């Protein structure tokens, strides 16, 4: 199992990967996705954290999929971890989620829209787990120093920052790659979210769009400028995924992408 305390030193080795489906849809599909990613990352020697949301609280439409049940989904994440001996990450949305989720997963993720919520950050920090904070679409990279400070001031130095683009107009995002070295200067691992940064939010249909054809472009650029890790949502059938299918990488394309990224990583270290 990848030791999470080694994340701070990944700049001397390979990048690490947070990957999995947007949401936990069921046990069979979660295990199938995890098995394939573990197979690839073991072969390519990429440290891996399995990602899956136990619930989706931020939906545009009231009839959008939000989850299969909190405890049921968290138990599936725990089973993935136990079956494949890998750490897991899931997002939390309320302070009361922190302790509950921490009983099942290794990393608590703070969604971008909530990255300034002091009570939520402190509750996550107090679990002692790693806390991955996604940079708000509305914030500069430099502003994330305050999120890091809140978590460290609560007694937890296990912080990761993840960039997921900046709001660009009403229905698009753009990535400012200057933010990766700036956030790395805070002495925390920095991740590039290669899928959510390609979202096209606030569509008139109430369903978020995306540009998955550019996932490779974002990932290559992030590795080139020194990202410690990558966040990639992936699914064997994105068109039929229950959440964020428009942004996800088809699972059968992951191996080729990772091989290209390893070559870039080798060229810059």
């Amino acid at each position: 199992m990848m030791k999470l305390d080694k994340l701070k030193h990944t700049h001397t080795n390979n990048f690490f990967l947070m990957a999995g489906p947007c949401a936990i849809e069921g046990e069979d599909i979660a295990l199938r996705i995890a098995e394939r990613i573990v197979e690839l990352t073991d072969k390519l020697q990429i440290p891996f954290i399995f990602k899956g949301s136990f619930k989706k609280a931020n939906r545009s439409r009231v009839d959008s999929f939000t989850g299969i049940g909190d405890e049921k989904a968290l138990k599936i994440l725990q089973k993935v971890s136990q079956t494949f001996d890998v750490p897991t990450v899931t997002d939390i949305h309320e302070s009361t989620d922190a302790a509950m989720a921490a009983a099942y997963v290794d990393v608590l993720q703070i969604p971008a829209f909530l990255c300034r919520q002091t009570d939520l950050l402190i509750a996550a920090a107090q679990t002692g787990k790693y806390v991955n904070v996604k940079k708000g679409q509305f914030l500069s990279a430099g502003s994330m120093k305050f999120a890091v400070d809140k978590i460290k001031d609560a007694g937890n130095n296990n912080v990761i920052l993840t960039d997921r683009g900046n709001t660009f107009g009403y229905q698009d995002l753009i990535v400012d790659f200057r933010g990766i070295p700036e956030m790395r200067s805070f002495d925390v691992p920095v991740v590039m979210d290669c899928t959510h940064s390609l979202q096209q939010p606030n569509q008139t249909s109430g369903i978020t769009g995306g540009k998955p054809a550019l996932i490779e472009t974002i990932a290559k650029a992030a590795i080139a400028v020194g990202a410690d890790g990558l966040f990639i949502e992936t699914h064997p059938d994105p068109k039929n995924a229950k959440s964020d299918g428009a942004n996800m990488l088809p699972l059968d394309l992951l191996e080729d992408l990772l091989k290209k990224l390893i070559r870039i990583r080798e060229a810059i270290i």
Side-chain angles (χ1 to χ4, degrees), residues 35-235:
E35 182 177 28
R36 178 55 179 156
I37 303 176
V38 168
E39 177 187 357
L40 292 177
T41 53
D42 281 354
K43 180 171 69 173
L44 299 174
Q45 297 185 312
I46 297 172
F48 170 52
I49 304 171
F50 179 82
K51 183 270 170 183
S53 297
F54 77 93
K55 67 178 175 183
K56 302 301 296 183
N58 178 19
R59 302 288 85 189
S60 296
R61 288 169 38 164
V62 71
D63 60 347
S64 295
F65 174 80
T66 58
I68 60 174
D70 294 357
E71 187 176 14
K72 183 177 180 181
L74 287 167
K75 285 183 175 179
I76 291 171
L77 283 162
Q78 185 179 57
K79 184 166 184 178
V80 167
S81 181
Q82 293 171 344
T83 302
F84 300 106
D85 196 23
V86 294
T88 54
V89 56
T90 198
D91 6 24
I92 61 173
H93 303 86
E94 301 178 41
S95 299
T96 52
D97 290 342
M100 174 181 66
Y104 296 92
V105 303
D106 303 281
V107 183
L108 300 178
Q109 183 167 284
I110 308 299
F113 281 126
L114 302 177
C115 68
R116 285 171 50 94
Q117 297 300 104
T118 302
D119 288 350
L120 181 61
L121 290 168
I122 291 175
Q126 289 175 339
T127 67
K129 299 287 184 172
Y130 258 89
V131 183
N132 178 34
V133 188
K134 288 199 169 182
K135 184 186 76 63
Q137 302 92 319
F138 45 88
L139 289 177
S140 68
S143 298
M144 292 305 291
K145 177 68 165 61
F146 300 110
V148 173
D149 289 345
K150 288 176 184 178
I151 294 167
K152 289 187 174 183
D153 286 349
N156 188 340
N157 291 320
N158 300 320
V159 189
I160 306 168
L161 294 180
T162 295
D163 196 347
R164 47 98 72 239
N166 289 76
T167 299
F168 185 70
Y170 287 106
Q171 294 173 319
D172 206 359
L173 297 165
I174 192 166
V175 178
D176 181 353
F177 286 98
R178 296 174 300 177
I180 291 177
E182 183 171 5
M183 289 191 292
R184 289 188 84 229
S185 73
F186 306 151
D187 195 30
V188 298
V190 174
V191 174
M192 183 70 232
D193 183 338
C194 304
T195 45
H196 288 95
S197 60
L198 292 166
Q199 281 184 334
Q200 292 179 302
N202 306 315
Q203 300 296 302
T204 54
S205 65
I207 299 173
T208 297
K211 299 178 180 178
L214 292 174
I215 291 171
E216 182 173 320
T217 300
I218 297 293
K220 286 178 174 177
I223 293 298
V225 299
D228 299 289
L230 297 176
F231 180 106
I232 299 175
E233 289 188 340
T234 183
H235 194 282

